[in-house]
Amino acid sequence: MADKKIGGNNDGKEKRRKESILDLSKYLEKQIRVKFAGGREASGILKGYDALLNLVLDNTVEYLRDSDEPYKLTEDSTRSLGLVVCRGTALVLICPQDGVESIANPFITQ
């Protein structure tokens, strides 16, 4: 992670400010989709973020899981959440909503 020096001299120790490794500014006010640790998925309009990748999403929709297959999402079954703060430590994936489509798993043999 890139660091920037800030502040004065503190007994020879310099304070460093953490800088985010992702530039999410190009996704502000655009629809994004996020995956969380534990498997939850949601999409919403990115309203803000910080260096720790905490996100603020508006008009958020959570995609619910199929009760028979816990690893399969049901695209038609959703829950509206509204304005949400997503904690950066729980995020696994951040991607733009445009251009996202489901494909068949190539590793499953039938």
Side-chain angles (χ1 to χ4, degrees):
M1 197 177 281
D3 292 333
K4 285 188 176 179
K5 297 177 188 176
I6 61 171
N9 195 353
N10 186 8
D11 295 335
K13 296 179 183 176
E14 295 179 6
K15 291 183 181 181
R16 293 184 179 259
R17 186 181 73 198
K18 300 240 180 204
E19 197 175 285
S20 179
I21 59 172
L22 289 177
D23 180 23
L24 296 176
S25 63
K26 59 187 170 186
Y27 299 116
L28 281 173
E29 300 298 326
K30 293 187 179 160
Q31 189 85 13
I32 64 166
R33 188 162 182 154
V34 292
K35 273 190 182 182
F36 298 94
R40 287 187 173 194
E41 286 189 37
S43 68
I45 299 169
L46 182 63
K47 292 292 186 177
Y49 64 97
D50 64 9
L52 299 174
L53 293 181
N54 297 314
L55 306 179
V56 178
L57 299 178
D58 198 8
N59 299 332
T60 307
V61 174
E62 179 184 7
Y63 298 95
L64 302 175
R65 303 202 162 278
D66 188 352
S67 58
D68 298 331
E69 295 182 50
Y71 295 108
K72 183 178 180 183
L73 293 176
T74 56
E75 291 293 328
D76 55 337
S77 181
T78 61
R79 178 170 71 156
S80 179
L81 300 176
L83 187 65
V84 174
V85 176
C86 305
R87 184 153 180 185
T89 56
L91 295 177
V92 175
L93 175 78
I94 303 170
C95 65
Q97 184 69 26
D98 296 335
V100 174
E101 64 181 51
S102 296
I103 62 168
N105 188 341
F107 300 106
I108 294 178
T109 56
Q110 295 181 0

